[in-house]
């Protein structure tokens, strides 16, 4: 009996030691490390799949979603939302002074994320429901943990991210369900609304960090954006998103075009207070300013796609998804990956080329499509994105797998 108890204690000690060893891995320290790498690697796979589909070389029946839906899902949710969650689950620890997700709990989230990708790409049509369940579980853990931390700390300034995360969770879930039910137009509408939700997220986050980072890095005297400008900008963006979303279900006496143009112009007015001209020597700053400019411009062009048939909504939307979302995401990942691993905010010499590649990809995708060279635009912009992503992985894999510098 004593030997059995001793053996049990020994096994327990071994299991606990393995648990501590896994939990202490640097890659599981905070969510930004793994989620940044997973999102970027996932975007490469998504774009390779997309180019193969456009070339007629993909096995359509092998995917859980239709190829078009899979492309939208992986770039909006697999890439954009994953990075946003990685950032927020990291930032919330700083905001609240409480421990965020790490260790084996974070490993569970990683496993769920990988399970979703495996189900979408290699499970066939019958695995869509499995992917849906895994994706929903992933979102529920994320929303629960973030909400719990900010509410427990009474961190009211960041309550705004709770409904944004819940909205993204709901749209992600509805996206997969509508594709399963073959409501392709509604699926596309949900994806486009999700992009507008990201504009709201970037408006809130960008409005906080871009002026702050600019003042700190350039040693400029303090500057302030009029509160009224920021409030009206966010209200018009929210109104435009709501009108766009509900316009699919109800016949409205107006389109969201005016609100999109207005919010785009207001974003540019807001940006004009942030002294962009002082940032051109600092890649981590000019990339953020350029991404915010692209969002304002993208919303304006999106609005003009309603009265001008030469501009398609999908082409205009890519100014936002690539130049605004993509550039801001890569810029923030580059910054956070340095800052949260204890390194100086000095980027590798290749990183500015990453930012340039993303920006050029957006305008190739838009302008060549405008002149009816759509297929060249798709292939060229995808290639530039993949090159930019490979640069990020080359530079940041060693940084994100290593422990934080003291």
């Amino acid at each position: 009996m004593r030997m059995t108890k001793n053996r049990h204690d020994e096994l327990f000690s071994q299991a606990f030691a393995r648990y501590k060893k896994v939990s202490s891995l640097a890659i599981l320290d905070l969510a930004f490390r793994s989620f940044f790498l997973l999102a970027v690697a996932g975007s490469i796979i998504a774009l390779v799949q997309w180019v193969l589909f456009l070339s007629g070389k993909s096995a359509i029946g092998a995917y859980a979603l239709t190829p078009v839906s899979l492309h939208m899902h992986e770039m909006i949710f697999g890439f954009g939302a994953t990075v946003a969650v990685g950032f927020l689950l990291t930032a919330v620890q700083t905001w609240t002074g409480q421990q965020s997700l790490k260790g084996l709990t974070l490993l569970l989230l990683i496993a769920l994320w990988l399970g979703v990708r495996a189900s979408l790409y290699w499970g066939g049509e019958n695995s869509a429901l499995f992917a849906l369940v895994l994706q929903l579980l992933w979102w529920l853990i994320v929303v629960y943990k973030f909400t719990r931390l900010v509410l427990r700390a009474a961190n009211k300034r960041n309550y705004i991210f709770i409904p944004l995360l819940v909205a993204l969770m709901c749209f992600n879930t509805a996206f997969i369900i509508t594709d399963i039910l073959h409501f392709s137009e509604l699926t596309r509408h949900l994806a486009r609304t999700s992009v507008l939700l990201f504009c709201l997220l970037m408006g809130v986050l960008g409005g906080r960090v871009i002026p702050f980072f600019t003042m700190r890095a350039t040693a400029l005297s303090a500057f302030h954006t009029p509160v009224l400008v920021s409030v009206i900008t966010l209200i018009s963006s929210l109104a435009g998103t709501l009108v766009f979303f509900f316009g699919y279900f109800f016949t409205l006496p107006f389109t969201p075009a005016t609100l999109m143009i207005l919010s785009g112009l207001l974003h540019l007015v807001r940006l004009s207070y942030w002294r962009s001209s002082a940032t051109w020597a600092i890649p981590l700053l000019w990339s953020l300013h350029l991404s915010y400019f692209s969002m304002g411009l993208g919303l304006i062009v999106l609005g003009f796609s309603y009265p001008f048939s030469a501009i398609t909504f999908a082409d205009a939307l890519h100014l936002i998804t690539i130049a605004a979302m993509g550039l801001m995401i890569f810029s923030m990942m580059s910054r956070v990956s340095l800052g949260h691993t204890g390194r100086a905010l000095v980027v590798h010499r290749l990183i500015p080329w990453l930012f340039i590649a993303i920006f050029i990809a957006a305008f190739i995708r838009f302008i060549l499509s405008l002149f009816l060279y759509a297929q060249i635009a798709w292939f060229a912009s995808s290639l530039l994105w993949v090159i930019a992503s490979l640069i990020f992985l080359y530079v940041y894999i060693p940084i994100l797998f290593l422990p934080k510098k003291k």
Side-chain angles (χ1 to χ4, degrees):
M1 190 72 177
R2 182 183 299 276
M3 288 181 63
T4 302
K5 184 177 185 300
N6 290 341
R7 178 60 177 163
H8 177 271
D9 291 343
E10 181 184 347
L11 290 173
F12 180 82
S13 297
Q14 290 174 355
F16 184 70
R18 283 194 292 269
Y19 163 77
K20 289 193 70 175
K21 186 176 181 180
V22 171
S23 296
S24 64
L25 291 174
I27 195 66
L28 299 178
D29 183 37
L30 279 171
F32 77 95
R33 292 174 178 266
S34 55
F35 283 177
F36 287 3
L37 294 177
L38 288 171
V40 174
S43 75
I44 295 174
I45 295 171
L47 285 175
V48 170
Q49 170 269 325
W50 182 236
V51 169
L52 289 174
F53 167 69
L54 294 174
S55 306
K57 297 178 181 178
S58 66
I60 295 175
Y63 305 136
L65 305 178
T66 62
V68 175
S69 295
L70 182 59
H71 170 66
M72 292 188 291
H73 183 275
E74 289 305 277
M75 296 309 294
I76 296 171
F77 300 109
F79 175 71
T82 300
V83 173
V85 165
F87 173 79
L88 289 174
L89 286 180
T90 300
V92 74
Q93 180 166 297
T94 303
W95 295 339
T96 65
Q98 302 175 71
Q99 179 64 59
S100 186
L101 284 177
K102 65 182 299 183
L104 290 187
T105 309
L106 181 56
L107 187 61
L108 171 61
L109 273 187
I110 294 169
L112 289 172
W113 192 94
L114 291 171
V116 173
R117 264 72 248 168
S119 301
L120 292 177
Y121 282 110
W122 299 290
E125 293 181 3
N126 295 329
S127 66
L129 285 174
F130 188 58
L132 172 64
V133 171
L134 294 180
Q135 186 69 76
L136 185 56
L137 282 173
W138 185 85
W139 274 113
L140 288 172
I141 294 171
V142 166
V143 172
Y144 169 76
K145 183 63 177 180
F146 182 86
T147 303
R148 184 168 180 265
L149 289 176
V150 295
L151 291 182
R152 192 164 64 181
N155 185 229
K156 296 179 181 179
R157 186 168 187 257
N158 293 302
Y159 284 0
I160 189 172
F161 292 111
I162 297 174
L164 285 172
L165 284 173
V166 171
L168 284 172
M169 176 181 70
C170 293
F171 275 90
N172 193 174
T173 304
F175 181 97
I176 298 175
I177 292 172
T178 54
D179 190 79
I180 292 172
L181 297 175
H182 305 294
F183 296 145
S184 57
E185 286 301 316
L186 179 54
T187 304
R188 186 171 303 183
H189 181 70
L190 292 170
R192 291 172 170 177
T193 307
S194 298
V195 172
L196 296 179
L197 282 173
F198 265 99
C199 288
L200 281 171
L201 180 61
M202 291 188 294
V204 173
L205 197 58
R208 291 185 186 180
V209 303
I210 296 175
F212 176 69
F213 291 161
T214 302
M215 283 188 285
R216 285 188 61 182
T218 60
L220 291 169
S221 57
F223 55 89
H224 302 282
T225 310
V227 175
L228 185 60
V229 171
S230 294
V231 171
I232 295 175
T233 302
L234 296 179
I235 289 174
S236 65
S237 297
L238 177 59
T241 302
L242 292 173
V243 170
F244 176 78
F245 175 67
F246 287 109
Y248 181 88
F249 304 98
F250 306 101
T251 302
L252 301 175
F254 50 84
T255 72
T258 303
L259 287 167
M260 289 175 176
I261 294 170
L262 174 63
S263 60
L265 288 170
L266 286 169
H267 279 300
L268 296 182
V269 170
R270 198 181 188 200
L271 178 64
S272 70
Y273 289 94
W274 298 346
R275 303 185 189 178
S276 301
S277 60
T279 68
W280 298 118
I282 308 171
L284 287 178
L285 283 182
W286 63 250
S287 54
L288 286 174
H289 284 254
L290 190 57
S291 70
Y292 201 89
F293 168 81
S294 300
M295 181 171 67
L297 179 63
L299 286 168
I300 292 169
V301 175
L302 206 59
F304 279 115
S305 71
Y306 282 85
F308 296 105
S309 59
I311 305 173
T312 70
F313 191 94
D315 292 337
L317 198 68
H318 278 79
L319 284 176
I320 296 175
T321 55
I322 303 175
M325 285 176 58
L327 193 53
M328 184 173 287
I329 285 171
F330 274 108
S331 182
M332 288 298 294
M333 286 194 298
S334 299
R335 185 183 191 91
V336 169
S337 298
L338 294 173
H340 280 273
T341 58
R343 289 164 172 81
L345 297 178
V346 179
V347 293
H348 189 281
R349 65 183 182 278
L350 290 176
I351 295 301
W353 294 105
L354 181 166
F355 299 151
I356 292 168
I358 292 294
F359 188 72
I360 293 174
F363 279 85
I364 284 179
R365 174 65 180 80
F366 175 69
I367 293 172
L368 289 186
S369 297
L370 201 62
F371 288 97
L372 305 179
Y373 294 102
Q375 195 161 35
I376 297 174
W378 297 335
F379 291 161
S381 60
S382 296
L383 177 61
L384 285 168
W385 183 286
V386 169
I387 290 171
S389 298
L390 290 173
I391 290 173
F392 182 86
L393 294 177
Y394 170 76
V395 172
Y396 284 102
I397 281 177
I399 291 172
L400 294 173
F401 270 92
L402 291 173
K404 183 175 181 178
K405 283 190 173 184
K406 302 298 183 183

